[in-house]
Amino acid sequence: MGPKFSIVSAFLAVSALFFILYVLRTRKLRGGFVVSWMMIAGIMISVPLAESFYIQLAGFVGLHRAIDMIIVVAVVFCLIYNFYLAVNVQRLNDQIQQLVSLVAILESDVEELSHNKRGHEGR
Amino acid sequence: MKKVLVSIIAYNEERSIAKAITDIREHFPSADIVLVDDCSTDATADVARDHGVKVIRHGVNLGNIGFPAVKTSFVYAYKNNYDVYCQFDGDGQHDARWLATIVHPITANNADLVIGSRFLEKEGHQSTFLRRIGIKLFSFVTSIVINRSITDVTSGFKAYNRKVIELFGEKYKYPIVDSNEILIVTHYAGGEYMKYRWKCKEGNMVIPALVFFKH
């Protein structure tokens, strides 16, 4: 990688890290999501700083170029992250359905109690 | 005397809901009726309230052809200690005359779950061709899994006993996605089935023949 690319990628990585810290401070993202995005920012920063390591790693797994390995890692990461999000979305969907049911039953009970109370007071 | 709940599942059925309620009251007066409204945008809930029926209305439409409403019905039946829960559609498709028939094996302890099947005999309203193919495919797969012959797994006309009510109203914490899930989960929980023939209403034509057998 040339020095220009190293500078650009380092700049992008540091910007991403600052953005993630801002999102963390404003509590727009919490918990596991923040950890995973900080890991991504960490990897982005490490690419220009530890270029030789990635070249060696690419050779170790049989890839000719370090960029190929980064792409493979990025694709695998996207697949895993997608799956993680799908599991979470499904869990939240189940919880929402449960809550909607319970709230609907409670609302109808309250409506019935109010109706009975009005009837009782009317006597 | 067993406590019976008939839960009408409805979404935008203001035109047919009054008739469904009247039919149930006429043919099965001892049952409690509740309407589970999946956040209708018309006057379904209001019509039901005007007829003196308790309404449980979802705050948002959960869709999935009414199965979330079936789950809500199970939770309500469990919390209010019902012995029998009958699932009844609010679109006027089901005939309230057969309610007592599908409830009887439950109260006689001959079955945990009774399905009113539309397809034991090829008579009456048989649904569209593509839908019948889909129903047959689902029924075939379910039949293999539970090792029982089920011809109409998607029938919305069912009766459940207290065991099944407790299973889906309390123990089974997941949403119900489709009819297969109810049958398969009940099967693996040790449920016993009984299947009835009944006729689906189409327009004003009602065919009164009824035969039943136990599996």
Side-chain angles (χ1 to χ4, degrees), chain A residues 13-15 20 43 46 61 70 73 77 91 97 100 102-103 120:
Chain A
V14 169
S15 305
I20 290 163
I43 292 169
S46 73
V61 297
I70 291 169
V73 167
F77 176 81
R91 181 178 56 83
Q97 287 201 27
V100 168
L102 289 173
V103 166
H120 187 73

Side-chain angles (χ1 to χ4, degrees), chain B residues 145-203:
Chain B
V145 172
I146 65 174
N147 200 27
R148 303 282 181 99
S149 171
I150 303 288
T151 54
D152 190 4
V153 76
T154 66
S155 171
F157 195 45
K158 293 188 183 82
Y160 311 91
N161 71 354
R162 182 68 193 172
K163 268 198 317 187
V164 182
I165 290 170
E166 188 179 341
L167 178 63
F168 290 102
E170 168 68 10
K171 292 177 183 169
Y172 189 71
K173 297 292 184 190
Y174 306 99
I176 296 171
V177 178
D178 57 28
S179 289
N180 301 305
E181 193 171 354
I182 295 175
L183 298 183
I184 291 169
V185 171
T186 304
H187 170 73
Y188 282 111
E192 288 290 325
Y193 297 96
M194 180 175 284
K195 188 167 63 183
Y196 277 78
R197 294 175 197 169
W198 65 286
K199 305 299 181 183
C200 180
K201 255 198 310 198
E202 185 178 24

Side-chain angles (χ1 to χ4, degrees), chain B residues 10-21:
Chain B
Y11 176 69
N12 288 347
E13 304 288 0
E14 62 178 355
R15 288 186 197 173
S16 54
I17 195 69
K19 177 94 177 27
I21 292 167

Side-chain angles (χ1 to χ4, degrees), chain A residues 94 97 101 104 108-109 111-112, chain B residues 49 54-57 72 175:
Chain A
D94 291 353
Q97 287 201 27
S101 283
S108 78
D109 286 345
E111 193 184 312
E112 194 176 3
Chain B
R49 284 193 193 100
K54 179 164 179 155
V55 174
I56 298 171
R57 189 168 188 275
T72 302

